[in-house]
Amino acid sequence: MTAVYIHIPFCEHICYYCDFNKVFLEGQPVDEYVDLLIKEMEMVTKRHTMSPVETVFVGGGTPTTLNEAQLAKLCSSISRLFPMTENAEFSFEANPGDLSISKLQVMKDYGVNRLSMGVQSFNNELLKKIGRIHTVDDVYQSVNNAKQVGFENVSIDLIFSLPGQTEADFEDTLTKALDLDLPHYSAYSLIIEPKTIFYNLMQKGKLILPGEDAEANMYEKLMSTMEKHGRKQYEISNFAKPGYESRHNIVYWSNEHYFGFGAGAHGYIGETRYANYGPLKKYMQPLQNGDLPTFQQKELSLKEKMEEEMFLGLRKVAGVNKAHFQAKFGQSLDATFANAIDKTIEKGWLESTPESVRLTRRGRFLGNNVFQEFL
């Protein structure tokens, strides 16, 4: 499978929890960035024979901060440089409030067929508290606009265990999210990352979080509620109606190859993982001089590839397939990771069948502890 990730680093506002590569939009050289991003894609496609692409994901930052002309320029270049398979998935990340009918129409006209919206909560007070600038009304308006333009495959992201959030509040958010009757939902527990506003507040003792028990209860409520509403959990944080699973993310969790373009983007081609410069100037300068903006390349050893196969693959509810592992690496999964498998089965975190190893329901609560055992 050929997969492509494209990064747009601009945001109209910086959320308090976000550690993705992003910059405040105002005063940035957005037009020049789009031109150089297209140049990077042209340079790479000249060096690689591209088979038809099955999934393109434009993420950020906030890709929908681009205006209609910039969106059209980017999308037309994607279509020109990456011929897609007939049923390819072409996704855009979006913020509620940015999704005007005119922007949606541009995306639709160029073949975008999936939207992923960062909603996070259906509580206006909480949205303010975490640094979001959209309101709940913006969410409803954006979903309506998307449906009006003809987008059926719409996903929303939620975050739980937010500062000051109660279990009842998260339950209310879940109810409102499911009332929209969308085919896909992602929900993540808040993680406090270094270099974020929340991290600084936490260091000063000014960030009050719900605590581990409440977080576990919210996750349990998430899993049972999604199940009840016909959204099957297929990964630790992702739920979908059958056929609407995110094919792009499945590429990552299946440890398959993908191209990464844009400031701070990562890719994995052949034996090599690579990363682009993150800061805008550092990303743009090599391209202005006719060079690629890659600052890091690492060729993976067999051991590293097998470890990645496990800690990425175990995120999927289906787990890691033993026959696939054997075919891919020429080694038995059971023999290679015997100690880690025995240890995690003993703790009730993992189960092993003749076909696969996968997290137990309890193991899903402790994913990072499980993954650590395979490193």
Side-chain angles (χ1 to χ4, degrees):
M1 181 187 279
T2 305
V4 172
Y5 174 77
I6 295 163
H7 193 76
I8 305 296
F10 308 110
C11 287
E12 282 183 33
H13 185 78
I14 305 301
C15 301
Y16 302 162
Y17 53 83
C18 180
D19 76 328
F20 290 138
N21 189 50
K22 77 280 176 191
V23 290
F24 185 53
L25 177 70
E26 203 171 306
Q28 297 294 347
V30 182
D31 282 314
E32 192 184 356
Y33 178 83
V34 171
D35 287 341
L36 290 170
L37 172 61
I38 292 165
K39 185 176 179 181
E40 183 196 1
M41 296 191 298
E42 286 170 342
M43 287 169 73
V44 170
T45 50
K46 274 183 188 149
R47 295 181 185 195
H48 291 269
T49 312
M50 301 292 292
S51 52
V53 171
E54 290 177 52
T55 159
V56 174
F57 192 99
V58 183
T62 315
T64 47
T65 53
L66 299 182
N67 63 34
E68 286 83 345
Q70 291 158 347
L71 278 172
K73 182 184 260 191
L74 175 63
C75 288
S76 66
S77 299
I78 292 170
S79 302
R80 170 171 61 86
L81 294 166
F82 306 112
M84 295 188 208
T85 58
E86 198 180 327
N87 64 342
E89 178 188 87
F90 187 179
S91 305
F92 252 77
E93 268 184 352
N95 262 359
D98 286 338
L99 281 178
S100 63
I101 294 278
S102 54
K103 284 186 184 182
L104 284 159
Q105 196 60 60
V106 169
M107 291 189 274
K108 191 87 173 88
D109 289 347
Y110 283 103
V112 176
N113 55 18
R114 184 176 185 273
L115 298 172
S116 177
M117 283 200 318
V119 169
Q120 320 316 5
S121 172
F122 280 80
N123 175 330
N124 282 330
E125 284 306 305
L126 264 183
L127 287 170
K128 266 189 219 155
K129 210 183 259 192
I130 64 175
R132 300 295 284 177
I133 53 173
H134 75 264
T135 64
V136 174
D137 284 346
D138 291 330
V139 175
Y140 292 124
Q141 186 64 60
S142 295
V143 170
N144 284 338
N145 287 354
K147 286 181 175 172
Q148 198 178 318
V149 172
F151 283 97
E152 288 168 23
N153 195 352
V154 177
S155 173
I156 61 174
D157 284 6
L158 304 172
I159 302 179
F160 58 94
S161 198
L162 295 168
Q165 187 177 39
T166 63
E167 291 174 41
D169 173 83
F170 181 59
E171 204 168 326
D172 180 62
T173 274
L174 275 180
T175 301
K176 287 173 176 162
L178 284 157
D179 282 347
L180 290 170
D181 194 25
L182 301 174
H184 190 284
Y185 295 89
S186 301
Y188 305 93
S189 168
L190 177 69
I191 295 171
I192 308 296
E193 302 283 7
K195 298 181 187 168
T196 61
I197 293 168
F198 272 174
Y199 184 79
N200 296 335
L201 287 173
M202 190 175 75
Q203 297 294 88
K204 294 173 187 166
K206 292 182 179 174
L207 192 71
I208 311 300
L209 297 170
E212 282 182 14
D213 288 349
E215 182 183 335
N217 291 343
M218 289 181 204
Y219 187 50
E220 180 58 61
K221 175 58 71 177
L222 168 71
M223 290 196 288
S224 57
T225 307
M226 287 289 169
E227 206 171 302
K228 201 165 74 187
H229 286 80
R231 272 47 174 206
K232 190 171 187 291
Q233 185 173 18
Y234 67 101
E235 189 268 349
I236 285 179
S237 304
N238 285 271
F239 306 82
K241 284 182 177 176
Y244 285 93
E245 298 83 1
S246 165
R247 280 154 55 196
H248 191 82
N249 284 342
I250 288 169
V251 168
Y252 299 151
W253 303 320
S254 301
N255 200 20
E256 291 177 17
H257 296 113
Y258 58 95
F259 291 90
F261 299 100
H266 292 239
Y268 179 29
I269 297 299
E271 311 294 314
T272 307
R273 285 200 180 275
Y274 66 89
N276 282 347
Y277 285 107
L280 229 52
K281 275 185 182 168
K282 281 196 160 184
Y283 167 77
M284 292 165 73
Q285 200 170 10
L287 288 160
Q288 287 159 342
N289 299 329
D291 297 317
L292 285 173
T294 314
F295 91 99
Q296 192 179 42
Q297 293 192 67
K298 178 174 170 50
E299 195 162 318
L300 300 182
S301 66
L302 177 63
K303 181 175 180 288
E304 286 169 324
K305 283 190 277 194
M306 291 191 297
E307 286 177 354
E308 286 192 355
E309 188 81 10
M310 297 308 294
F311 75 72
L312 292 167
L314 284 172
R315 292 191 63 89
K316 298 181 292 185
V317 169
V320 180
N321 182 281
K322 292 179 181 180
H324 179 74
F325 187 96
Q326 176 82 44
K328 193 169 181 179
F329 302 112
Q331 294 193 23
S332 150
L333 190 160
D334 286 322
T336 306
F337 292 105
N339 289 345
I341 291 170
D342 290 346
K343 194 172 170 184
T344 45
I345 286 175
E346 204 175 303
K347 289 182 173 173
W349 297 348
L350 204 72
E351 57 191 11
S352 178
T353 70
E355 289 77 38
S356 66
V357 289
R358 58 176 182 253
L359 294 177
T360 59
R361 192 175 176 93
R362 183 172 167 228
R364 290 178 215 168
F365 288 83
L366 299 156
N368 288 337
N369 302 47
V370 184
F371 308 150
Q372 200 60 44
E373 297 294 339
F374 289 87
L375 297 178

